[in-house]
Amino acid sequence: MNQKIVLLVLSLGTLMAAVDTTIVLLALPTITDCLHTNLFSSIWVLLAYLIVLAVLSTQAGRIGDLIGRGKIYNFGFILFTLASALAGISPNVCLLISFRVIQAIGGALLTSNSYAIIADVFPPNSRGKAYGITALGWNVGALLGIVLGGVLTTFFGWRFIFYINVPIGIISVILGIREIRDSRVVKNKLDITGSVILGVSLALISVGSMMIAGIGVDIMDVVEIILGVALLPIFVINESKVQSPIINLKLFKIRLLSFSLLASLFQGIGALSITFLLIMYLQGVRGLTPLQSSLLLTPGYVVASVLAPFMGRIADRGRPGLLAGIGLLFIFASLMLYYFILTPSTPYFTILGITAITGIGSAMFWPSNATAVMFSAPKEYYGSVSGVSRTLGSIGTTLSYVMSITVATLVIPRQVAFEIFLGTNVLDGDVSNAFVNGLHFAFMISAIIIIIATLFSVLGGSTNVKRSY
C-alpha cells in the first residue's frame, strides 16, 4: 500500500464526515424556506446525522475488525457519496432527513475505521504524524463545515453543500479501492445483542437531550434519557459475558487507553461548544451575517491545521497524553479569556487572537490523543477502539450543541435562541447585555469540562510510548 495515498484517502474521508456534522447549520434557514417546512423539522437535518454517528460508530469499528477494515471503509465512502448526491436533489425535508441518515451510516463506517487503518499501515514511531493529519480532521472538519456551509449557501445555494461531496467521494473511492487493503481479520462473531442494547441506549439519550434543547423539558424526554442511561449497565453485563464483545471491557484496564478516551469525550463537549457559543455571540449580539461570523472564526482553524502534523511528530517522541494535556490548557486559557474579556463591543482582532490560542490547543490535543489511544489498543481491537473514539467524538458534538442551546435559553426565549443561532435575529439593549452574561456562564461551564479532560489526559500521560517501539 502507498502510505501517502492511503493517508490522503483517510484524511478526505474523516474530513468529509466531520464537515457534514455542521455544514448544514448555516443553511437551515434557506432549507426551511426552499422546502416549505418549519425550523423545528429542518433542524433534524443536522440532528439526525449527529445521532446516527453517535449510535453506530462503535459497531462500525467492530465490523471492520471482523470483515475487513479496507472493505468497510471503502463501502462507507460509496454510501456516503451516494447519499450526498441524493440529499442534494431532495424535494422535501422528510427525504432530506432520510438521506442524511444514510449519509451518517456511511460516515460512521468511514470515521470508525480510519484510526485503525493508520495503525495497520504505519509503524508505531510514525503514527503520530499521520494522526496529526487525519485525527484533527474530525474537530477541524466540524468547525470548517460551518464556514463551508456559509460560503456555499451564500454563493451557490444550499444543495451544493451536499453536491460538493460527490466529486471528492468518487476520486476517493477509486483511490481507496486501489490502495486500502484489509489487514488481519478477526475470526469472531458480531455481538448482535450488545449492538442493539448500546444503539438503543445512545439513541434514547441523544434524542431525549436534543428534544429538551429544542422544545424544553418534557416528561417523555426525561424518561427517554433515564431509560438510555439504565441500559448502559445492562450493556456492560452483556459485554462481560459474551465470547466476542463489541468492546472488550478488559481494554479499559489499560490506563493510557481509558484515560485518553475520557479526555477525548470531555474535550469534545467543552471545546466544540466554543464555536457554537461564538456563533451565537457574533450573530445575535454583534449582528454579523452567518457568512461573516464563520469567516471570522477561520484563522483558528488555519492555525490548528498548520500545526497539527508538527505536533503529531512531537507526540511520536513519547508521552502523548502529557502533550495532549498541555494542549487542553491552551483551550482552557481561551475559555477564560472569553469569560473575562467578551463584551457586546469586544474588538474583533481580540476575538481572532483568542481563536488562534484555541487552534494551538486543538493542534496539540488531537494527534497526541489519537496516538495515545491507538498505541494502547491490541491489534485485533484496532477497529473497535477506533469506533469507540469516534463515538465519543460524536457524543461530544451532540452534547456541545445541547449545552449551548440550553444555556442560551436560560436568558432568552427558546425560539429567539434558535433564531440567533441561525443568524435570523439580532438582540439589542439590555437583552444583549443579559445574553452576554449568559455566555460567560456557558464559557465557565466549558472551562470546567476542559479541566476534567486535562486531568484525564495528564493522568494517562505518564506512559512513554517511545520506550515500547
Side-chain angles (χ1 to χ4, degrees), residues 94-113:
C94 292
L95 279 176
L96 178 56
I97 294 171
S98 299
F99 293 137
R100 283 282 285 174
V101 169
I102 298 173
Q103 193 184 40
I105 295 172
L109 297 177
L110 284 173
T111 58
S112 299
N113 288 281

Side-chain angles (χ1 to χ4, degrees), residues 129-149:
K129 180 181 178 181
Y131 287 134
I133 297 172
T134 60
L136 191 65
W138 181 258
N139 204 27
V140 171
L143 303 179
L144 281 175
I146 297 171
V147 177
L148 195 58

Side-chain angles (χ1 to χ4, degrees), residues 359-376:
I360 293 171
S362 297
M364 297 177 73
F365 176 80
W366 281 104
S368 305
N369 181 264
T371 300
V373 167
M374 296 312 298
F375 165 80
S376 311

Side-chain angles (χ1 to χ4, degrees), residues 292-345:
Q292 289 170 335
S293 57
S294 63
L295 291 177
L296 190 64
L297 300 178
T298 302
Y301 315 154
V302 174
V303 169
S305 301
V306 170
L307 291 181
F310 173 71
M311 295 300 177
R313 287 194 290 270
I314 296 177
D316 282 331
R317 299 173 185 172
R319 303 194 188 283
L322 187 58
L323 182 61
I326 295 172
L328 289 168
L329 290 177
F330 274 86
I331 297 174
F332 172 78
S334 68
L335 283 162
M336 296 310 296
L337 287 171
Y338 286 129
Y339 178 80
F340 287 109
I341 293 176
L342 200 67
T343 69
S345 59

